[in-house]
């Protein structure tokens, strides 16, 4: 599915940009603890951007709603997991950390769906 390849590439671009911003723009401006949280958000965004790219390629071989659901859950996971960590890092509002596990669960379900689709259809 071309859309997941585009979303994957855009998220990879954003992850690189936000990684550079964290390394050069936030260093010394936020506590080290929150800079580490920022780095975690960037890493997980990039991992799942690659996951979206893989799903886009798999969609050409596998015609199953499992692939589509997996892709949308990865995108939701990026928004909830990485997004909440980015906001937490710069605002230091700890209650935002309550959203992060919802993104993590979205990531986990997305990977399981991808594995099931690969097992059933490849």
């Amino acid at each position: 599915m071309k859309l997941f390849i585009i979303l994957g590439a855009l998220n990879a671009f954003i992850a690189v940009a936000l990684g550079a911003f964290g390394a050069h723009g936030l260093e010394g401006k936020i506590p080290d603890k929150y800079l580490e949280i920022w780095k975690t958000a960037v890493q997980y965004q990039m991992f799942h951007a690659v996951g979206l790219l893989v799903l886009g390629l798999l969609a050409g071989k596998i015609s199953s709603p499992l692939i589509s659901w997996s892709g949308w859950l990865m995108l939701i996971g990026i928004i909830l997991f990485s997004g909440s960590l980015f906001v937490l890092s710069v605002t230091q509002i700890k209650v935002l950390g309550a959203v992060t596990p919802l993104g993590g669960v979205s990531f986990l379900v997305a990977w399981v769906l991808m594995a099931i689709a690969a097992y059933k259809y490849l």
Side-chain angles (χ1 to χ4, degrees), residues 11-87:
N11 272 284
F13 173 88
I14 293 166
V16 171
L18 290 174
F21 176 72
H24 303 292
L26 293 178
E27 192 171 29
K29 294 189 172 81
I30 63 173
D32 287 345
K33 170 185 174 181
Y34 290 102
L35 195 55
E36 286 303 312
I37 291 170
W38 184 275
K39 289 177 185 177
T40 298
V42 168
Q43 285 179 328
Y44 276 77
Q45 182 170 358
M46 184 58 82
F47 295 152
H48 292 87
V50 172
L52 285 167
L53 292 169
V54 169
L55 284 165
L57 295 173
L58 280 175
K61 293 183 176 259
I62 298 173
S63 179
S64 169
L66 293 172
I67 296 296
S68 183
W69 275 104
S70 181
W72 291 117
L73 285 169
M74 277 199 194
L75 183 62
I76 289 167
I78 289 170
I79 293 165
L80 294 178
F81 186 91
S82 294
S84 67
L85 291 181
F86 288 131
V87 175

